[in-house]
Short mmCIF file of all heavy atoms in Angstrom, two decimals:
data_model
loop_
_atom_site.label_atom_id
_atom_site.label_comp_id
_atom_site.label_asym_id
_atom_site.label_seq_id
_atom_site.Cartn_x
_atom_site.Cartn_y
_atom_site.Cartn_z
N ILE O 53 3.74 -5.84 10.19
CA ILE O 53 3.52 -4.53 10.79
C ILE O 53 2.54 -4.66 11.95
O ILE O 53 2.73 -4.05 13.01
CB ILE O 53 3.02 -3.52 9.74
CG1 ILE O 53 4.16 -3.16 8.78
CG2 ILE O 53 2.48 -2.26 10.40
CD1 ILE O 53 3.75 -2.29 7.62
N GLN O 54 1.49 -5.45 11.79
CA GLN O 54 0.51 -5.65 12.86
C GLN O 54 1.18 -6.27 14.09
O GLN O 54 0.96 -5.82 15.22
CB GLN O 54 -0.63 -6.53 12.38
CG GLN O 54 -1.66 -6.81 13.43
CD GLN O 54 -2.77 -7.74 12.93
OE1 GLN O 54 -2.73 -8.21 11.80
NE2 GLN O 54 -3.73 -7.99 13.77
N ASN O 55 2.00 -7.28 13.90
CA ASN O 55 2.70 -7.90 15.02
C ASN O 55 3.64 -6.92 15.71
O ASN O 55 3.73 -6.89 16.94
CB ASN O 55 3.47 -9.13 14.55
CG ASN O 55 2.55 -10.25 14.14
OD1 ASN O 55 1.40 -10.33 14.57
ND2 ASN O 55 3.04 -11.13 13.29
N ASP O 56 4.35 -6.10 14.92
CA ASP O 56 5.24 -5.10 15.51
C ASP O 56 4.47 -4.05 16.30
O ASP O 56 4.90 -3.64 17.38
CB ASP O 56 6.06 -4.40 14.42
CG ASP O 56 7.15 -5.28 13.86
OD1 ASP O 56 7.42 -6.35 14.45
OD2 ASP O 56 7.74 -4.90 12.84
N LEU O 57 3.33 -3.61 15.77
CA LEU O 57 2.53 -2.60 16.46
C LEU O 57 1.99 -3.13 17.79
O LEU O 57 1.91 -2.38 18.76
CB LEU O 57 1.38 -2.12 15.59
CG LEU O 57 1.77 -1.24 14.40
CD1 LEU O 57 0.55 -0.95 13.54
CD2 LEU O 57 2.41 0.04 14.86
N GLN O 58 1.64 -4.39 17.84
CA GLN O 58 1.14 -4.96 19.09
C GLN O 58 2.23 -5.10 20.14
O GLN O 58 1.95 -5.26 21.31
CB GLN O 58 0.46 -6.30 18.83
CG GLN O 58 -0.86 -6.11 18.11
CD GLN O 58 -1.54 -7.42 17.78
OE1 GLN O 58 -0.91 -8.46 17.71
NE2 GLN O 58 -2.84 -7.35 17.57
N MET O 59 3.49 -4.99 19.71
CA MET O 59 4.61 -4.98 20.64
C MET O 59 5.16 -3.57 20.83
O MET O 59 6.28 -3.40 21.30
CB MET O 59 5.71 -5.93 20.16
CG MET O 59 5.30 -7.38 20.17
SD MET O 59 6.62 -8.51 19.74
CE MET O 59 6.87 -8.14 18.02
N ASN O 60 4.38 -2.54 20.43
CA ASN O 60 4.77 -1.13 20.51
C ASN O 60 6.05 -0.83 19.75
O ASN O 60 6.85 0.01 20.14
CB ASN O 60 4.93 -0.69 21.97
CG ASN O 60 3.61 -0.35 22.59
OD1 ASN O 60 2.66 -0.01 21.91
ND2 ASN O 60 3.54 -0.46 23.91
N ASN O 61 6.26 -1.49 18.64
CA ASN O 61 7.42 -1.27 17.80
C ASN O 61 6.95 -0.62 16.50
O ASN O 61 6.26 -1.24 15.70
CB ASN O 61 8.13 -2.59 17.52
CG ASN O 61 9.41 -2.40 16.77
OD1 ASN O 61 9.80 -1.28 16.42
ND2 ASN O 61 10.09 -3.49 16.49
N LEU O 62 7.30 0.63 16.27
CA LEU O 62 6.86 1.37 15.09
C LEU O 62 7.93 1.47 14.00
O LEU O 62 7.71 2.14 13.00
CB LEU O 62 6.43 2.78 15.48
CG LEU O 62 5.21 2.89 16.39
CD1 LEU O 62 5.00 4.32 16.84
CD2 LEU O 62 3.98 2.38 15.69
N THR O 63 9.06 0.81 14.17
CA THR O 63 10.16 0.98 13.21
C THR O 63 9.79 0.45 11.83
O THR O 63 10.05 1.12 10.82
CB THR O 63 11.44 0.28 13.70
OG1 THR O 63 11.16 -1.09 13.96
CG2 THR O 63 11.97 0.95 14.94
N ARG O 64 9.20 -0.74 11.74
CA ARG O 64 8.85 -1.29 10.42
C ARG O 64 7.79 -0.43 9.74
O ARG O 64 7.82 -0.22 8.54
CB ARG O 64 8.36 -2.73 10.55
CG ARG O 64 8.24 -3.43 9.22
CD ARG O 64 7.73 -4.84 9.37
NE ARG O 64 8.36 -5.60 10.41
CZ ARG O 64 9.26 -6.58 10.22
NH1 ARG O 64 9.59 -6.90 8.99
NH2 ARG O 64 9.77 -7.24 11.23
N LEU O 65 6.85 0.10 10.53
CA LEU O 65 5.82 0.97 9.98
C LEU O 65 6.45 2.25 9.42
O LEU O 65 6.15 2.67 8.31
CB LEU O 65 4.78 1.31 11.04
CG LEU O 65 3.71 2.31 10.63
CD1 LEU O 65 2.83 1.73 9.53
CD2 LEU O 65 2.87 2.71 11.81
N LYS O 66 7.36 2.86 10.18
CA LYS O 66 7.98 4.10 9.74
C LYS O 66 8.89 3.89 8.53
O LYS O 66 9.01 4.77 7.69
CB LYS O 66 8.76 4.74 10.89
CG LYS O 66 7.84 5.30 11.95
CD LYS O 66 8.59 5.96 13.07
CE LYS O 66 7.61 6.51 14.10
NZ LYS O 66 8.31 7.16 15.21
N GLU O 67 9.50 2.70 8.42
CA GLU O 67 10.32 2.39 7.25
C GLU O 67 9.47 2.23 6.00
O GLU O 67 9.95 2.44 4.89
CB GLU O 67 11.12 1.11 7.49
CG GLU O 67 12.22 1.25 8.50
CD GLU O 67 12.85 -0.09 8.86
OE1 GLU O 67 12.39 -1.14 8.34
OE2 GLU O 67 13.80 -0.09 9.65
N SER O 68 8.22 1.87 6.17
CA SER O 68 7.32 1.62 5.03
C SER O 68 6.59 2.87 4.57
O SER O 68 5.80 2.79 3.64
CB SER O 68 6.29 0.56 5.42
OG SER O 68 6.92 -0.63 5.76
N LEU O 69 6.83 4.00 5.20
CA LEU O 69 6.08 5.21 4.88
C LEU O 69 6.69 5.97 3.71
O LEU O 69 7.89 6.14 3.61
CB LEU O 69 6.03 6.15 6.09
CG LEU O 69 5.26 5.65 7.30
CD1 LEU O 69 5.35 6.67 8.41
CD2 LEU O 69 3.82 5.39 6.94
N ASP O 70 5.82 6.43 2.86
CA ASP O 70 6.16 7.36 1.79
C ASP O 70 4.98 8.32 1.66
O ASP O 70 4.33 8.40 0.63
CB ASP O 70 6.40 6.60 0.48
CG ASP O 70 6.98 7.49 -0.60
OD1 ASP O 70 7.55 8.54 -0.25
OD2 ASP O 70 6.84 7.14 -1.78
N VAL O 71 4.68 9.03 2.76
CA VAL O 71 3.48 9.85 2.86
C VAL O 71 3.86 11.30 3.11
O VAL O 71 5.01 11.63 3.36
CB VAL O 71 2.54 9.36 3.99
CG1 VAL O 71 2.00 7.98 3.69
CG2 VAL O 71 3.23 9.37 5.33
N SER O 72 2.84 12.17 3.08
CA SER O 72 3.07 13.59 3.32
C SER O 72 3.33 13.84 4.80
O SER O 72 3.16 12.96 5.65
CB SER O 72 1.86 14.40 2.85
OG SER O 72 0.76 14.14 3.69
N ILE O 73 3.70 15.06 5.11
CA ILE O 73 4.04 15.42 6.50
C ILE O 73 2.82 15.30 7.41
O ILE O 73 2.94 14.83 8.54
CB ILE O 73 4.64 16.84 6.54
CG1 ILE O 73 5.98 16.85 5.81
CG2 ILE O 73 4.81 17.32 7.97
CD1 ILE O 73 6.59 18.21 5.64
#
Side-chain angles (χ1 to χ4, degrees):
I53 289 174
Q54 179 182 3
N55 291 337
D56 286 349
L57 288 175
Q58 288 178 338
M59 294 185 292
N60 279 335
N61 185 359
L62 295 173
T63 55
R64 191 181 314 255
L65 175 66
K66 289 181 179 180
E67 290 172 358
S68 300
L69 294 178
D70 189 21
V71 295
S72 69
I73 294 173

